[in-house]
Amino acid sequence: MTTLQNKTALVTGASRGIGRATAVALAEAGAHVLVHYGRSKQEAESLVVEIQKKGGRADAISADLGTPDGASLLAKQVRSTFGDRLDVLVLNAGISKAARIADHTVAEFDSLFATNVRSPFFLVQQLLPVLGEGSSIVAISSLGAREVVGKPGLENASILAYASTKGALETLVKNWAAILGPSGIRVNAVAPGIIDTDMSNFTKTEVGREVALGMQALKRIGKPEDVADVVAFLASDGARWITGASIPVDGGSKL
Ligand code: NAD
């Protein structure tokens, strides 16, 4: 049984999708959860109420992680809420872009890296003073970090720029794990396959569904809760000997 009694947790991008399910899972395991959101104040606040109604502890905080000072503004709010201790940090907020190689723009490329790589990098930097022995960081990577997803071709939309942000994130995870291990801080990634959220709307079409199921051993579309349960495990003492890992959570994709 996963337990996070008396632990503090921050989940970025927690108003919907995988972040929301993760905030619920951590709160159900007993953690006091900070539900971070960018623009979706109403959804974040309704999640806080939902968690509190079930007897859990949660607060909502906002910061735009696409801006240069977003991570440090968020870290300041976390420190002023929790004081000197953050036990669980889930780096979940992210954006995606599918386009033909020819259609990718510099602005979109920069925005992908700002949100998916720069903000986790500086959030960890700014939160270091409140992370310590027993703290756990979990980054939400992607199957795309290691496998080419979709049908390759110059005329086909591809997520190659997005995928490269997740490759960078996994490189950070390994380096953080090595650097922070001696301080007793564990750092891992989970690499979801296709999960039913706003980010993967294409699975709502018959063709999209077929593509997804065609590459998976398990024949259903993954749910946010499938990822959240693994994050909650990695955050718990049950995973005390796991660090620097990337755990696929993809129903056996591309085996
Ligand atoms: P989603 O679009 O529902 O959630 C993304 C979250 O990130 C949202 O809450 C959004 O508000 C937040 N966010 C984005 N930009 C932000 C910004 N500038 N500032 C603050 N918050 C911001 O999609 P999701 O599927 O739940 O994605 C969660 C994570 O899982 C992402 O890192 C994504 O790359 C990863 N992932 C998703 C899938 C999938 O198939 N859905 C697969 C692999 C990895």
Side-chain angles (χ1 to χ4, degrees):
M1 162 73 191
T2 299
T3 177
L4 296 171
Q5 284 307 330
N6 302 320
K7 304 280 187 193
T8 55
L10 166 67
V11 182
T12 66
S15 64
R16 63 173 197 248
I18 293 169
R20 182 185 174 96
T22 299
V24 169
L26 298 180
E28 280 176 354
H32 180 176
V33 180
L34 283 184
V35 172
H36 159 263
Y37 65 95
R39 292 192 200 103
S40 316
K41 185 170 198 245
Q42 222 178 328
E43 284 91 334
E45 284 176 350
S46 83
L47 174 58
V48 166
V49 171
E50 188 185 310
I51 289 171
Q52 288 169 345
K53 272 192 187 150
K54 287 195 245 164
R57 286 182 303 161
D59 296 283
I61 49 175
S62 134
D64 182 352
L65 294 177
T67 60
D69 59 354
S72 65
L73 291 174
L74 176 57
K76 259 189 208 139
Q77 294 181 71
V78 173
R79 295 203 303 261
S80 75
T81 311
F82 283 154
D84 61 359
R85 178 72 187 178
L86 180 65
D87 298 296
V88 180
L89 169 59
V90 183
L91 303 164
N92 166 77
I95 53 173
S96 174
K97 172 79 193 171
R100 296 184 317 149
I101 282 192
D103 296 333
H104 275 84
T105 66
V106 170
E108 282 163 355
F109 184 93
D110 285 351
S111 167
L112 282 167
F113 270 84
T115 306
N116 297 2
V117 184
R118 185 178 69 191
S119 84
F121 183 94
F122 286 101
L123 195 52
V124 170
Q125 182 203 62
Q126 295 297 309
L127 286 171
L128 274 181
V130 293
L131 295 166
E133 180 72 37
S135 292
S136 170
I137 300 173
V138 183
I140 310 299
S141 176
S142 168
L143 169 68
R146 285 152 194 265
E147 303 283 350
V148 176
V149 182
K151 197 173 162 207
L154 281 173
E155 290 311 314
N156 298 333
S158 154
I159 55 164
L160 81 172
Y162 164 78
S164 69
T165 67
K166 296 302 187 178
L169 187 60
E170 291 208 4
T171 300
L172 287 175
V173 164
K174 275 210 167 184
N175 280 268
W176 281 325
I179 294 166
L180 304 179
S183 306
I185 302 167
R186 293 183 300 106
V187 190
N188 293 289
V190 296
I194 293 166
I195 305 295
D196 184 13
T197 68
D198 289 359
M199 192 178 275
S200 53
N201 263 331
F202 68 95
T203 56
K204 276 136 199 141
T205 66
E206 208 38 55
V207 176
R209 205 180 141 73
E210 264 173 39
V211 169
L213 298 186
M215 71 173 184
Q216 292 175 196
L218 301 178
K219 301 297 179 191
R220 69 167 169 80
I221 303 292
K223 299 189 194 98
E225 293 72 20
D226 297 328
V227 181
D229 285 350
V230 181
V231 177
F233 167 69
L234 285 172
S236 77
D237 192 52
R240 62 193 166 276
W241 205 234
I242 304 176
T243 196
S246 175
I247 315 281
V249 187
D250 59 11
S253 290
K254 297 209 156 230
L255 293 178

